[in-house]
Amino acid sequence: QSTEHLKKMVKDYADKYKLAAPCVCDGSYLSEIAIVSEAPGGTEIETGRPFTGASGAKLTNALQKINVSRMNVYMTNVVKRQVSMSQTDKRFPITKHELEHWHNILMWELGQLPNLKYVLVLGNYALKAILGKSGIMNWRGSVLVTSIAGKEVTTLSTYNPAMIIREPKHGMIFNFDIGKFKKVINGTWVERPVTKLINPSYDDAMDYMDMLGKAGKDVAYDIETSGNETACVGVGNSPTEAMCINFRTLTDNHYTAKQDVQIYKRLAWLLSGDTVPLVAQNGMFDASWLWFKDRIRVHRHDFDTMLAHHTLYPSLPHNLGFITTQYTSRPYYKDEKDTWREHGDIDSFWGYNAQDVCNTLEASIHIKSELRNAKLDEFFYSHVMRAFPHLLRMCVGGIRVDMELKHGLKTLLEKRVMDLTREFNEQVQQILDDPEYVCNPGSPAQLSNLLFSKFKLVGRGTSTNKENRDRMFKHPATTEPKRKVLQQIDLIAAERKFLGTYVNSAVDDDGRMRCTYNQTGTQSAPGRLSSSGMLWKNSEGDQTGTNLQNQPERAQDMFIADDGYCFVYFDLSQAEARVVGWLANIEHWIEDFERARLDGTFDCHRSLASTMFKIPYDDVPTFDRDDDGTVTKRFVAKRCRHGLNY
């Protein structure tokens, strides 16, 4: 037996199903290690050997860092021919039926390797074929044991190196995973099991909380919700043991009403005091829910793994599934939150909650060390965690809403949208000379038919989005009446957005609007505070809250200051733009800022608008909006200066 002999056998196997196999395998038939990717690329097809293209070079470099030579491992792909992995590339399609054949061939192929102990699983096809799982973004970094031809084999899953070439941001994660694979093949990888204490008796739950409160150690906590109520609270001070205090069984309450009250009081004692250091993952959710729904005011958190991980790696995912596979020996498990419903095994849901607690606590130990090594610990504690309790108070407190004005605005907006839609159809009917034609401007299909089939407008493709409508508007073949129709579509879209996003946003039963504050920001601006709606619902079954940081001016009258308070506006003078100007050494910005500092009448934003739009400074308006609400060139320049910095 040899690699060449196995290659011939695989090709013969493929021939039985009439499958072409121009690129089969490479490396050592006697190796303990197999590396399995998805499908060969163009270079691999030319050479007939897997991992000889650009992605192969990525893999080879990564293996060298853990002292593994590609000559000493067995290398293959699930599919032995070229496949279009990109959704936009349709040159090399593959059917589900063909893929199933390749799965069978691969498992037979791996079963022929006499010394196989470890498999590096690269990409979704390999993940599905070897482990029967889907979603490499979730399962990457997971070490799992499986059976191949009756032999126990240890696997580690990660991205296909070709993905790193397409999206370099995943390169750091790939390197994390390869480093973990070194521990697997060295025999130093050991999964630490979790003891999950579920369905505790009343006495056991009370005693456990007493123990946590007196032990003087970090306590991690986590909640799960169901039916808009708290289903359970998990607590623990060990990376390997936690208790899930579940208030339900599958069919009934777990405790009596009197016991529920006492348990909630003991939870309040544990979480609301200032003697127990609290650790959470995305504690803004857990703390705001407990405060608002259960009236347990959780005290200041000492550590939040999501926020700490974001401080270290702003561009990486920060969910607990990802953090678990990065910092603990346990595989991905977050699907268990929902899969229990399939079999009615609610105990697995409680176990999932306990595992969340242990994984959060174990990850916090490693992340704290990384913060110290990166010299980011002082910044994290004095800035990120210092802001947390204030944002939590803002979240739970919310803001009063003038419900009468809100309902009135809704009525006005609904009528305005109807009137604008009627005017739109009148314009369309006049152009088409068809008094019966009606188009719903909110329907992409109907709008596409109007713009391309009826109006014969020219854009890029057949999209009806704002970007393509702007192309149609600017096209020289578009007549003035059709331009007015396009402007009407824009106006209707803007009013519908205002109505749906702001006016129709649901309010809590106490007449207050709330939002959750996200300290990790958005993907395009990590670290810049953002906000979004809440995850609970009001008595009408509507999910409440909205983004309270970006309310348009005409929506602001809906909000009312509490008695004894008033609204104020304050802002530093172009603080972020000034920092960018000096750090990037933008000379004319620096000159403008200095001139504005010395001469209170000079306007930096008007100066930038003058440069951007190539007009004299004095021709730029001194205000941001016209009487009808249209933004001015000054406003555009101001937004560009601040927004594009990110």
Side-chain angles (χ1 to χ4, degrees):
Q1 294 288 341
S2 67
T3 302
E4 288 301 317
H5 181 68
L6 182 54
K7 184 184 298 186
K8 181 180 183 305
M9 293 174 68
V10 170
K11 286 191 173 186
D12 290 343
Y13 199 151
D15 283 343
K16 292 181 180 179
Y17 296 108
K18 298 181 180 179
L19 300 175
C23 178
V24 181
C25 60
D26 194 22
S28 171
Y29 166 78
L30 298 175
S31 177
E32 294 182 345
I33 303 170
I35 299 178
V36 183
S37 191
E38 298 181 286
T43 303
E44 285 83 359
I45 294 296
E46 291 176 8
T47 62
R49 298 169 58 209
F51 301 106
T52 51
S55 61
K58 282 275 185 189
L59 177 64
T60 299
N61 291 336
L63 292 176
Q64 286 175 346
K65 293 178 181 178
I66 62 170
N67 299 318
V68 173
S69 168
R70 63 170 287 144
M71 300 303 296
N72 297 328
V73 300
Y74 182 84
M75 312 179 94
T76 189
N77 287 292
V78 178
V79 183
K80 316 300 184 186
R81 67 169 182 87
Q82 193 166 4
V83 176
S84 296
M85 305 306 296
S86 169
Q87 293 183 352
T88 59
D89 184 358
K90 306 297 183 184
R91 293 176 299 164
F92 309 105
I94 186 169
T95 65
K96 182 178 179 181
H97 182 64
E98 181 188 349
L99 195 55
E100 287 176 355
H101 285 317
W102 287 121
H103 285 184
N104 294 332
I105 292 171
L106 173 71
M107 297 309 290
W108 174 86
E109 175 187 0
L110 295 177
Q112 305 307 303
L113 303 177
N115 302 321
L116 183 64
K117 291 183 179 179
Y118 312 105
V119 179
L120 183 61
V121 178
L122 304 177
N124 275 310
Y125 282 6
L127 180 69
K128 184 67 174 178
I130 297 172
L131 296 168
K133 300 185 182 300
S134 302
I136 194 65
M137 299 294 286
N138 291 330
W139 286 98
R140 53 123 304 271
S142 295
V143 178
L144 298 169
V145 176
T146 190
S147 177
I148 296 178
K151 292 187 296 186
E152 195 174 86
V153 175
T154 304
T155 69
L156 182 136
S157 304
T158 188
Y159 302 133
N160 184 337
M163 181 181 180
I164 312 304
I165 296 173
R166 294 192 301 269
E167 298 184 62
K169 67 179 182 179
H170 296 305
M172 184 188 301
I173 304 171
F174 180 74
N175 291 332
F176 285 154
D177 295 341
I178 295 299
K180 187 181 291 187
F181 191 59
K182 179 180 179 179
K183 296 180 181 179
V184 172
I185 60 179
N186 286 347
T188 58
W189 186 265
V190 179
E191 181 178 340
R192 299 177 71 190
V194 171
T195 301
K196 307 168 185 177
L197 308 175
I198 64 173
N199 298 310
S201 68
Y202 169 77
D203 289 336
D204 286 344
M206 298 292 279
D207 290 344
Y208 199 79
M209 287 187 281
D210 281 346
M211 179 274 294
L212 295 177
K214 298 171 182 176
K217 298 168 64 176
D218 285 2
V219 171
Y221 81 101
D222 177 73
I223 71 168
E224 301 299 336
T225 66
S226 180
N228 206 35
E229 298 295 338
T230 305
C232 63
V233 179
V235 287
N237 63 5
S238 165
T240 58
E241 180 189 281
M243 175 177 283
C244 169
I245 303 172
N246 46 293
F247 298 101
R248 297 276 307 169
T249 64
L250 187 60
T251 58
D252 205 352
N253 294 323
H254 184 47
Y255 304 109
T256 67
K258 185 177 180 180
Q259 289 174 336
D260 267 355
V261 171
Q262 294 305 313
I263 286 176
Y264 271 110
K265 284 184 176 181
R266 191 61 55 90
L267 278 170
W269 166 80
L270 178 66
L271 302 177
S272 300
D274 58 1
T275 59
V276 177
L278 291 182
V279 177
Q281 159 73 15
N282 187 20
M284 181 64 70
F285 167 72
D286 301 83
S288 63
W289 183 284
L290 287 175
W291 190 350
F292 181 74
K293 299 285 290 184
D294 299 316
R295 299 301 184 260
I296 296 176
R297 184 171 180 176
V298 181
H299 79 77
R300 178 183 60 84
H301 290 174
D302 286 77
F303 200 82
D304 190 301
T305 48
M306 182 183 77
L307 299 182
H309 190 261
H310 171 264
T311 302
L312 286 163
Y313 307 106
S315 63
L316 296 186
H318 311 299
N319 60 78
L320 188 55
F322 182 91
I323 288 174
T324 294
T325 54
Q326 183 177 347
Y327 292 106
T328 81
S329 60
R330 299 165 194 131
Y332 178 75
Y333 67 104
K334 298 299 283 186
D335 290 343
E336 296 173 12
K337 182 175 182 178
D338 300 308
T339 53
W340 69 269
R341 299 178 189 276
E342 297 174 9
H343 308 290
D345 180 17
I346 198 169
D347 283 353
S348 66
F349 184 42
W350 311 137
Y352 162 87
N353 173 245
Q355 179 140 344
D356 269 357
V357 172
C358 290
N359 289 346
T360 297
L361 194 57
E362 182 166 350
S364 73
I365 297 169
H366 298 287
I367 297 174
K368 285 177 182 179
S369 176
E370 286 194 9
L371 283 170
R372 288 191 296 271
N373 293 337
K375 293 181 169 53
L376 286 170
D377 50 335
E378 183 179 351
F379 166 77
F380 173 71
Y381 290 111
S382 64
H383 179 72
V384 180
M385 292 310 298
R386 183 182 175 188
F388 178 86
H390 304 289
L391 296 173
L392 174 62
R393 184 166 177 259
M394 291 163 59
C395 167
V396 178
I399 187 168
R400 286 171 63 195
V401 175
D402 185 331
M403 297 302 295
E404 185 177 346
L405 189 151
K406 187 175 186 290
H407 290 313
L409 195 56
K410 177 181 179 180
T411 302
L412 284 174
L413 261 293
E414 288 174 344
K415 183 178 184 303
R416 176 162 169 75
V417 169
M418 289 177 60
D419 291 342
L420 290 172
T421 303
R422 177 179 48 77
E423 293 169 8
F424 159 80
N425 275 302
E426 288 173 354
Q427 293 172 339
V428 169
Q429 290 164 2
Q430 186 172 356
I431 293 171
L432 297 178
D433 194 23
D434 182 357
E436 302 298 324
Y437 185 85
V438 175
C439 172
N440 176 6
S443 166
Q446 293 185 34
L447 202 56
S448 177
N449 179 65
L450 172 66
L451 299 180
F452 299 112
S453 299
K454 300 291 185 180
F455 280 4
K456 309 294 184 185
L457 297 181
V458 180
R460 184 178 297 170
T462 58
S463 172
T464 61
N465 64 16
K466 180 67 167 64
E467 185 180 7
N468 211 28
R469 295 201 305 269
D470 288 343
R471 291 193 188 99
M472 300 177 212
F473 186 90
K474 295 174 183 177
H475 197 277
T478 304
T479 62
E480 191 59 32
K482 292 177 182 177
R483 285 199 174 99
K484 289 183 178 180
V485 170
L486 290 170
Q487 289 176 323
Q488 192 77 357
I489 294 171
D490 290 346
L491 188 56
I492 293 170
E495 295 298 84
R496 277 183 166 166
K497 179 180 179 181
F498 180 68
L499 177 62
T501 304
Y502 303 107
V503 178
N504 283 340
S505 53
V507 177
D508 285 311
D509 293 337
D510 59 358
R512 301 181 78 86
M513 182 76 76
R514 293 175 172 84
C515 71
T516 184
Y517 289 96
N518 310 305
Q519 286 179 266
T520 57
T522 62
Q523 188 173 5
S524 60
R528 188 181 191 187
L529 192 68
S530 67
S531 63
S532 55
M534 307 308 298
L535 292 180
W536 57 63
K537 297 178 180 180
N538 59 20
S539 57
E540 296 179 359
D542 298 322
Q543 194 165 318
T544 65
T546 186
N547 175 357
L548 284 175
Q549 291 175 270
N550 294 293
Q551 292 288 311
E553 289 183 12
R554 57 178 172 159
Q556 292 174 9
D557 287 343
M558 293 191 303
F559 302 107
I560 313 168
D562 286 318
D563 295 340
Y565 291 84
C566 66
F567 290 126
V568 296
Y569 176 86
F570 61 92
D571 193 10
L572 295 173
S573 178
Q574 299 103 29
E576 292 170 333
R578 287 173 187 266
V579 171
V580 171
W582 261 266
L583 291 180
N585 196 28
I586 307 173
E587 292 184 2
H588 63 280
W589 278 28
I590 296 172
E591 291 172 2
D592 284 352
F593 288 136
E594 282 297 283
R595 182 175 175 184
R597 184 175 66 85
L598 298 171
D599 176 4
T601 63
F602 184 75
D603 188 332
C604 300
H605 299 317
R606 290 179 70 196
S607 177
L608 180 60
S610 172
T611 303
M612 287 174 58
F613 295 105
K614 296 181 173 58
I615 58 176
Y617 173 88
D618 290 336
D619 289 353
V620 180
T622 59
F623 45 87
D624 285 344
R625 294 181 186 273
D626 293 325
D627 292 338
D628 63 356
T630 304
V631 299
T632 64
K633 288 182 171 63
R634 180 189 186 278
F635 180 86
V636 173
K638 177 180 176 181
R639 279 300 177 96
C640 287
R641 165 169 272 152
H642 291 304
L644 295 179
N645 291 340
Y646 292 90

